[in-house]
Amino acid sequence: MKATDIKNPEYFHKVVDCQHACPAHTPVPEYIRLIAEEKYTEAYMINWDSNVFPGVLGRTCDRPCEPACRRGRIDGKGEEPVAICRLKRVAADNKGDVKGLMPKGPFRPNGKKVALIGAGPASLTVARDLAPLGYEIHLYDEQKLGGGFMRSQIPSFRLPETVLNEEVGYILDLGIHTHFNHYVESLKETLGKDYDAVFVGSGAPKGRDLDIPGRKDGAANIHIGINWLANVAFEHTAKVGKKVIVLGGGNTAMDCCRTARRLGGDEVKVFVRSPFAEMKASPWEKEDAAHEDIPIIDNHVPKSFVVEGGVLKGMTFEKVTAEYDKDGKRKLVPVSGPDIFIEANDVLIAVGQENSFPWIERDLGIEFDKWDMPTVNETTFVSTNPKVFFGGDSAWGPKNVITAVAHGHQAAISIDLMCNGKDLALRLSPYVNLVSQKMGIHEWAYDSEVVSDKRYVVPQADKKLTLTNRKKEVELGFNALAGFKEAERCLNCDIQTVFTTDKCIECDACVDICPTACISFTENADESDLRSMLKMPAKNLTQDLYVSDTLPTKRVMVKDENVCLHCGLCAERCPTSAWDMQKFFYNVTKAHTGCASHK
Amino acid sequence: MTYVRPKFRHPELQKNKLGYTVDYYEGALSTLCAGCGHDSISAGIIQAAYEMNIEPHKLAKLSGIGCSSKTPAYFLSNSHGFNSVHGRMPSVATGANLANRDLTYFGVSGDGDTASIGMGQFVHVIRRSLNMTYIVMNNGCYGLTKGQDSATADQGSKNKGGNVNLFESIDLASLAIELGATFVAQSFSGDKAQLVPLIKAAMNHPGFAFINVISPCVTFNNNVGSTKSYDYVREHIGATATVDFVPEMQEISIEYGKGTHKNVTMHDGSVIQLHKLAEDWNPLDRQSAMNAVINAKAKNEILTGLLYVNPDAHDLHDIIKTSDRPLNTLTKEELCPGSEMLNEINADLR
Ligand SMILES: Cc1cc2nc3c(=O)[nH]c(=O)nc-3n(C[C@H](O)[C@H](O)[C@H](O)COP(=O)(O)OP(=O)(O)OC[C@H]3O[C@@H](n4cnc5c(N)ncnc54)[C@H](O)[C@@H]3O)c2cc1C
Ligand SMILES: Cc1ncc(C[n+]2csc(CCOP(=O)(O)OP(=O)(O)O)c2C)c(N)n1
Ligand code: SF4
Ligand code: SF4
Ligand code: SF4
Ligand SMILES: [Mg+2]
């Protein structure tokens, strides 16, 4: 293999598994260390820069970082990832004054106007990144307040309104012109209003329906999940029947069933077509539903709504079993026996969401594909109309808040480039820094000790309280001490092991000390051969090998990054400091920090 | 300040026949200088004990005084250990072995501990053919007392202070062969591929097994001009053969060129597989082993690998016909058979 080019920031970036997996590439270990140091404000600001909604995300993020977290790989005996997401909340809960650390208007106008359609996280991110550059931002939403689905869909018992208001407020306070209660009927009209750019952040607002017998007759008690949740959020709906069926196996179904429990549903049941293990809902959402006495009944396909005398009585289901062909493709095969009848006063349909752009005329140069989705550039987020950008759920269908934020950052950069007449392909390089952590013998600037603590559980409020008050937040969050202890579980994957070939005397000390057998000295070979020639075979192909230049014995040092604990023992034991522990800071450049207009 | 070894190990570590992963054979975190060759030898011992499926409680580690003699603290924490007096490890080993012949005895010493103060003990333990493995971690100096030349420092070798050693060195391997050791090997701390099978074969040997391991002292004897530095050893190393130790006879998969392959079958059916590199060398012949060492030395070469082995070794217990069972398991009745038996014995002696 060729020697690893550690000057390419993407190499070390990949070693920081959580940050790499985060769509917005939040510098996770940096903020976790700050939490351990009780520097909550600084930890919050690192987050705010990257993900804009630390308080919201610290409660609701889909947390793609956690399955990626190295901690989950290091012992093969069920060691769980660091509670990255809930630590974010610790920063948000305990922070001091952050307003003073944020950009403060009024900003000198740059003469450009941008319209943002939809006030969800994608648009709000664009607003935050562009406002400090002097853009005049006009934010449109049909709802009465900003936040998009964070407000209309995520229930208050998971995300208190105060937290959302605070973080939406930080953005609106940058001098955003809001046009709430304003449904945009026509993009053509909007484009006609001399905007320099339009960002479409309208989400995927259409809930899928279920067209089976009885749907029309029972309509009064059959609700589309996301519409129903929005009605609850905006207090148009305050009650539900005693017996409720929720259809669907995703997170929306989980929010529907838990909300129903709080609005009078004593017997709420979730019915899913697929086997339990294959449900789309996150494991923790399923656990929370179970905790609230909501059975999830899998392998049941809805057949009909049973309506008698104009009143919904329940539903029938066909029991199925999942069979898989040799390619692993699933088929749901009916199990013999009669259909099953389940009583219900109300049914909530949460079987998926779709995009819908009835307000976008098809003659604006915006290309739509056969699924009626706009053609959007994956790097620049521009559509086929150079003035129109898409991001968040509107671009490629329903995802999550953090993805919407990540899109927003990149779209903001593109809008800034476009407004400055620059090529959109000129993406901004990340801000990177690599600094030695050595302070002395056995002394590092980071806490190198690897603790053995198991993942701490976030305490929850008493069920008696939460089930009777829809707005009572279920999770109490870590207190400062639990937050510290959980923070200590982080392995500091950003503290990189940096190898200097010409200092190495090949004494093997690092090989012998490394607890997880990461380091080998061997003859060089192709990657696939090399992976099997190491002290422990490097089987995780998603993790890179760090290969040195050729050493005096004609061998190379090969480090498998996979289960490195970043404990620094290799560097401690190296007599020549050929290994050094260096902190790698990587931050995605945002429009307002590396703006095109300043260059 | 943190210098704590994490408890996590590679998730795919394999278990040996006893169900232990290699970390079960580890010891405390070493306090030797970073980069010390001794630590690599410790790692080799851990690996060998793991691969040999040693039951830790059936092994005793013995040592004298020195950095090298400290290392038993850094491997096999679950085994017995006795850190004795400077140069006196063989006496303690002899006593222990006589009392309980069922344990594996693993002695660790240094070149100072063996070739100076402990020389008398060393030669006699060889002569008596005690069943043990005796490793010298040889760095050509007294590491623990800050690097004075030892008796194995080569004539002309320069130490860190710039002083040249004026005296002839003692060659421990030829001495061991000369005195009748039945397993003699030489190795380098930086070559675990060779060291680990040698340690395994030595532990399995039914008599006195000696391994002299060149083990650079990074702090006091790794300078230019020293003949025990990493660089010097690497430039001057040679090997009798590549070694592999196979606990039970099995199909040999690798075919070497004619005449270069040699299998030595041991008393218990285990096999030392050798792929010969040195010419005119026969590991079963003491004379040729001596010649090989002397020839190498004349060429300024450090000859490593297995030097000499006698598969039909006899140990001290065989020679003096002790009880088959460990003394510590004999009952009072067996040890004091009564006045009738005493009278019989006395009568025999009349
Ligand atoms: C029930 C449910 C629970 C969820 N829970 C989570 C969670 O816990 N964590 C998570 O990360 N994600 C969650 N999501 C997904 C997440 O809410 C979305 O992925 C995210 O909000 C998408 O952001 P966005 O900016 O693209 O648009 P959205 O947040 O969808 O906002 C779009 C806004 O645009 C408005 N709009 C649309 N068209 C127009 C128009 N023509 N004129 C004016 N306004 C318009 C809409 O009213 C809406 O307010 C959940 C989704 C649902 C349905
Ligand atoms: C009876 C006695 N004499 C002298 C000493 C001082 N002393 C301690 S270690 C040592 C030499 C150790 O050299 P070596 O065996 O080569 O071990 P190394 O530290 O080099 O591994 C000496 C002379 C002692 N501890 N006890
Ligand atoms: S251990 Fe810490 S730095 Fe490493 S992946 Fe997990 S959260 Fe990120
Ligand atoms: S920091 Fe060094 S010693 Fe620690 S696990 Fe990583 S490679 Fe091994
Ligand atoms: S400890 Fe340092 S000098 Fe020794 S092999 Fe490792 S990197 Fe090289
Ligand atoms: Mg010594």
Side-chain angles (χ1 to χ4, degrees):
Chain A
M1 273 180 86
K2 267 183 48 197
T4 303
D5 176 17
I6 58 166
K7 293 225 168 72
N8 177 353
E10 292 310 312
Y11 180 76
F12 283 144
H13 182 201
K14 224 178 136 192
V15 174
V16 196
D17 297 288
C18 49
Q19 183 177 12
H20 193 253
C22 172
H25 304 310
T26 305
V28 174
E30 181 71 6
Y31 84 67
I32 292 184
R33 271 191 304 274
L34 288 167
I35 289 169
E37 291 167 24
E38 297 181 70
K39 293 184 179 158
Y40 304 116
T41 306
E42 290 84 345
Y44 183 89
M45 288 310 292
I46 293 250
N47 274 291
W48 190 76
D49 177 63
S50 293
N51 54 51
V52 191
F53 303 100
V56 171
L57 288 165
R59 293 167 164 84
T60 65
C61 190
D62 255 359
R63 22 175 155 155
C65 53
E66 291 191 18
C69 171
R70 174 177 304 261
R71 182 105 195 171
R73 291 198 298 269
I74 55 175
D75 80 344
K77 294 180 213 137
E79 180 66 29
E80 287 184 83
V82 175
I84 302 169
C85 178
R86 273 23 179 192
L87 282 172
K88 200 188 305 296
R89 173 173 172 183
V90 173
D93 285 357
N94 295 290
K95 66 186 186 297
D97 171 49
V98 290
K99 194 88 200 251
L101 300 169
M102 293 173 179
K104 217 179 8 255
F107 306 102
R108 200 162 53 136
N110 69 356
K112 310 271 186 201
K113 271 171 76 177
V114 179
L116 313 176
I117 320 263
S123 290
L124 288 168
T125 301
V126 176
R128 191 206 73 173
D129 286 2
L130 291 183
L133 296 173
Y135 286 89
E136 187 180 315
I137 310 282
H138 292 264
L139 180 66
Y140 293 88
D141 201 295
E142 62 177 309
Q143 303 291 4
K144 61 178 180 184
L145 289 165
F149 270 20
M150 297 188 292
R151 187 179 298 280
S152 65
Q153 298 297 316
I154 304 181
S156 310
F157 58 82
R158 288 206 288 125
L159 173 61
E161 224 179 331
T162 46
V163 175
L164 180 63
N165 288 346
E166 175 188 327
E167 292 187 335
V168 171
Y170 291 144
I171 298 166
L172 300 186
D173 288 353
L174 297 172
I176 310 299
H177 303 265
T178 57
H179 307 267
F180 292 150
N181 292 316
H182 183 137
Y183 181 78
V184 175
E185 305 272 359
S186 155
L187 180 60
K188 187 179 270 172
E189 198 187 304
T190 310
L191 282 169
K193 286 187 190 156
D194 76 358
Y195 286 117
D196 296 279
V198 175
F199 176 78
V200 180
S202 57
K206 203 171 143 219
R208 218 172 268 151
D209 205 344
L210 196 62
D211 193 14
I212 53 174
R215 172 68 181 93
K216 278 208 184 70
D217 299 338
N221 293 92
I222 302 170
H223 320 274
I224 301 288
I226 64 169
N227 299 346
W228 185 79
L229 285 171
N231 282 333
V232 173
F234 293 114
E235 303 190 324
H236 306 313
T237 296
K239 263 182 128 114
V240 74
K242 280 207 178 320
K243 296 186 177 175
V244 181
I245 290 176
V246 176
L247 302 174
N251 288 338
T252 304
M254 297 301 109
D255 281 339
C256 283
C257 68
R258 296 180 68 197
T259 302
R261 279 291 273 135
R262 288 157 171 79
L263 299 193
D266 293 337
E267 269 181 52
V268 180
K269 295 186 177 122
V270 177
F271 284 86
V272 205
R273 291 158 50 98
S274 62
F276 186 82
E278 289 170 34
M279 285 170 61
K280 286 216 184 85
S282 321
W284 56 88
E285 302 252 8
K286 293 198 270 185
E287 273 166 34
D288 288 341
H291 178 69
E292 292 174 0
D293 316 309
I294 302 166
I296 296 175
I297 298 144
D298 63 353
N299 295 322
H300 277 65
V301 175
K303 289 294 284 284
S304 69
F305 295 98
V306 179
V307 184
E308 281 169 19
V311 181
L312 181 76
K313 292 290 172 192
M315 287 190 73
T316 59
F317 293 90
E318 176 177 58
K319 216 176 148 11
V320 293
T321 173
E323 283 178 11
Y324 304 84
D325 67 14
K326 61 179 186 308
D327 303 325
K329 236 187 113 186
R330 189 186 74 194
K331 221 170 82 188
L332 295 175
V333 187
V335 176
S336 62
D339 286 350
I340 295 153
F341 172 75
I342 307 287
E343 253 187 279
N345 309 115
D346 280 290
V347 175
L348 305 175
I349 304 176
V351 295
Q353 256 173 278
E354 284 165 353
N355 291 67
S356 151
F357 302 101
W359 54 280
I360 298 184
E361 294 80 356
R362 300 302 141 110
D363 60 353
L364 301 174
I366 302 173
E367 196 178 288
F368 279 80
D369 64 16
K370 62 177 166 188
W371 296 283
D372 213 23
M373 289 293 285
T375 307
V376 181
N377 182 297
E378 289 184 24
T379 313
T380 64
F381 297 87
V382 70
S383 70
T384 46
N385 176 329
K387 278 178 119 180
V388 181
F389 299 79
F390 284 76
D393 288 356
S394 76
W396 296 286
K399 298 265 168 12
N400 50 39
V401 174
I402 189 67
T403 304
V405 168
H407 290 179
H409 286 312
Q410 294 306 316
I413 289 169
S414 298
I415 292 169
D416 190 38
L417 288 167
M418 193 269 286
C419 289
N420 284 282
K422 301 221 166 119
D423 183 357
L424 298 198
L426 287 175
R427 306 314 290 177
L428 304 177
S429 39
Y431 172 86
V432 283
N433 198 6
L434 190 64
V435 184
S436 177
Q437 298 295 289
K438 197 169 176 77
M439 308 246 291
I441 293 172
H442 303 334
E443 204 80 64
W444 299 104
Y446 75 109
D447 193 354
S448 61
E449 187 175 342
V450 176
V451 300
S452 306
D453 299 26
K454 297 273 166 250
R455 181 175 167 123
Y456 289 85
V457 176
V458 180
Q460 296 197 342
D462 188 344
K463 206 157 67 172
K464 278 199 217 89
L465 295 176
T466 60
L467 288 183
T468 48
N469 177 357
R470 167 177 80 81
K471 295 195 173 176
K472 172 81 187 150
E473 191 175 13
V474 171
E475 287 195 4
L476 300 173
F478 287 131
N479 62 23
L481 180 64
F484 168 75
K485 291 198 156 176
E486 184 60 33
E488 286 289 282
R489 293 180 71 241
C490 172
L491 298 168
N492 303 291
C493 302
D494 59 337
I495 312 292
Q496 305 287 348
T497 55
V498 179
F499 184 79
T500 309
T501 306
D502 53 16
K503 282 188 181 171
C504 175
I505 58 169
E506 301 180 63
C507 68
D508 261 9
C510 52
V511 178
D512 296 333
I513 197 77
C514 176
T516 43
C518 304
I519 303 170
S520 301
F521 286 80
T522 167
E523 282 120 63
N524 206 341
D526 288 346
E527 175 160 358
S528 59
D529 288 339
L530 206 49
R531 281 183 175 271
S532 64
M533 287 157 60
L534 307 181
K535 193 171 173 194
M536 282 301 291
K539 292 185 194 151
N540 184 348
L541 301 181
T542 67
Q543 292 282 320
D544 288 339
L545 297 183
Y546 179 0
V547 182
S548 75
D549 286 318
T550 307
L551 288 152
T553 58
K554 305 281 178 285
R555 299 180 302 171
V556 283
M557 182 292 299
V558 183
K559 182 191 168 210
D560 177 11
E561 297 284 9
N562 185 26
V563 287
C564 171
L565 304 172
H566 297 263
C567 63
L569 288 184
C570 49
E572 295 258 9
R573 289 311 279 169
C574 179
T576 63
S577 297
W579 284 112
D580 190 25
M581 303 307 290
Q582 302 189 2
K583 181 158 104 180
F584 175 71
F585 187 72
Y586 178 108
N587 200 13
V588 174
T589 306
K590 319 295 180 315
H592 64 286
T593 44
C595 58
S597 34
H598 286 190
K599 274 184 232 145
Chain B
M1 159 167 166
T2 38
Y3 187 44
V4 182
R5 182 162 41 196
K7 83 160 210 253
F8 297 101
R9 295 292 175 274
H10 197 287
E12 283 150 27
L13 287 185
Q14 299 291 311
K15 289 185 171 146
N16 66 9
K17 280 191 185 143
L18 298 175
Y20 301 132
T21 45
V22 65
D23 52 310
Y24 194 65
Y25 296 89
E26 287 173 359
L29 199 53
S30 170
T31 58
L32 301 183
C33 302
C36 177
H38 300 355
D39 280 334
S40 288
I41 303 172
S42 296
I45 294 167
I46 291 167
Q47 186 67 26
Y50 157 77
E51 289 178 15
M52 288 290 282
N53 304 297
I54 300 275
E55 291 183 81
H57 69 283
K58 291 216 172 140
L59 183 143
K61 312 170 280 185
L62 306 128
S63 63
I65 295 292
C67 297
S68 36
S69 294
K70 279 175 72 180
T71 61
Y74 314 136
F75 57 80
L76 306 186
S77 275
N78 296 309
S79 295
H80 309 280
F82 201 120
N83 187 195
S84 75
V85 191
H86 203 13
R88 268 62 176 174
M89 177 267 279
S91 302
V92 178
T94 306
N97 190 322
L98 283 174
N100 185 358
R101 60 185 298 171
D102 275 1
L103 299 187
T104 299
Y105 290 92
F106 201 92
V108 174
S109 179
D111 44 319
D113 196 62
T114 290
S116 293
I117 194 168
M119 188 54 121
Q121 302 242 329
F122 178 61
V123 298
H124 287 285
V125 76
I126 298 176
R127 207 182 128 251
R128 289 177 182 143
S129 197
L130 192 71
N131 184 5
M132 75 176 299
T133 299
Y134 191 120
I135 287 193
V136 169
M137 301 183 172
N138 188 344
N139 54 16
C141 69
Y142 297 172
L144 191 68
T145 54
K146 304 230 175 307
Q148 299 83 351
D149 288 339
S150 77
T152 66
D154 291 310
Q155 197 172 32
S157 179
K158 205 186 260 179
N159 70 13
K160 196 182 181 182
N163 300 317
V164 173
N165 176 36
L166 303 175
F167 302 105
E168 190 58 57
S169 68
I170 293 175
D171 188 282
L172 291 171
S174 17
L175 186 63
I177 297 171
E178 163 74 32
L179 292 168
T182 46
F183 180 107
V184 180
Q186 205 145 240
S187 193
F188 168 46
S189 65
D191 185 2
K192 278 201 206 71
Q194 180 194 61
L195 180 59
V196 172
L198 285 176
I199 297 173
K200 284 159 68 179
M203 287 205 275
N204 194 63
H205 183 72
F208 186 82
F210 176 68
I211 313 177
N212 179 42
V213 189
I214 313 296
S215 175
C217 170
V218 269
T219 304
F220 298 113
N221 204 8
N222 194 35
N223 47 285
V224 175
S226 161
T227 60
K228 295 274 192 295
S229 69
Y230 280 106
D231 285 349
Y232 183 92
V233 176
R234 284 215 172 87
E235 278 159 29
H236 294 83
I237 201 160
T240 55
T242 61
V243 207
D244 205 0
F245 178 72
V246 187
E248 283 143 45
M249 188 51 183
Q250 55 189 43
E251 204 71 40
I252 296 155
S253 50
I254 313 160
E255 270 300 322
Y256 295 106
K258 233 193 179 136
T260 60
H261 195 86
K262 177 109 189 141
N263 281 346
V264 180
T265 307
M266 302 300 293
H267 64 294
D268 58 352
S270 62
V271 177
I272 303 175
Q273 296 182 345
L274 300 166
H275 175 225
K276 280 211 276 178
L277 302 171
E279 286 163 23
D280 304 326
W281 165 75
N282 174 3
L284 300 171
D285 177 48
R286 262 166 87 174
Q287 190 60 51
S288 99
M290 284 297 274
N291 289 344
V293 176
I294 292 164
N295 291 342
K297 217 175 167 185
K299 287 190 281 179
N300 267 340
E301 189 183 89
I302 303 161
L303 188 64
T304 62
L306 181 69
L307 302 179
Y308 171 68
V309 64
N310 173 2
D312 305 316
H314 293 285
D315 85 324
L316 181 58
H317 287 281
D318 296 337
I319 297 167
I320 62 172
K321 300 197 177 60
T322 58
S323 154
D324 286 347
R325 277 166 49 215
L327 297 187
N328 63 0
T329 64
L330 299 184
T331 60
K332 193 176 164 203
E333 287 67 37
E334 289 166 299
L335 290 167
C336 305
S339 41
E340 221 170 281
M341 181 63 86
L342 182 64
N343 289 340
E344 257 179 57
I345 294 171
N346 282 342
D348 263 7
L349 296 173
R350 278 203 186 98

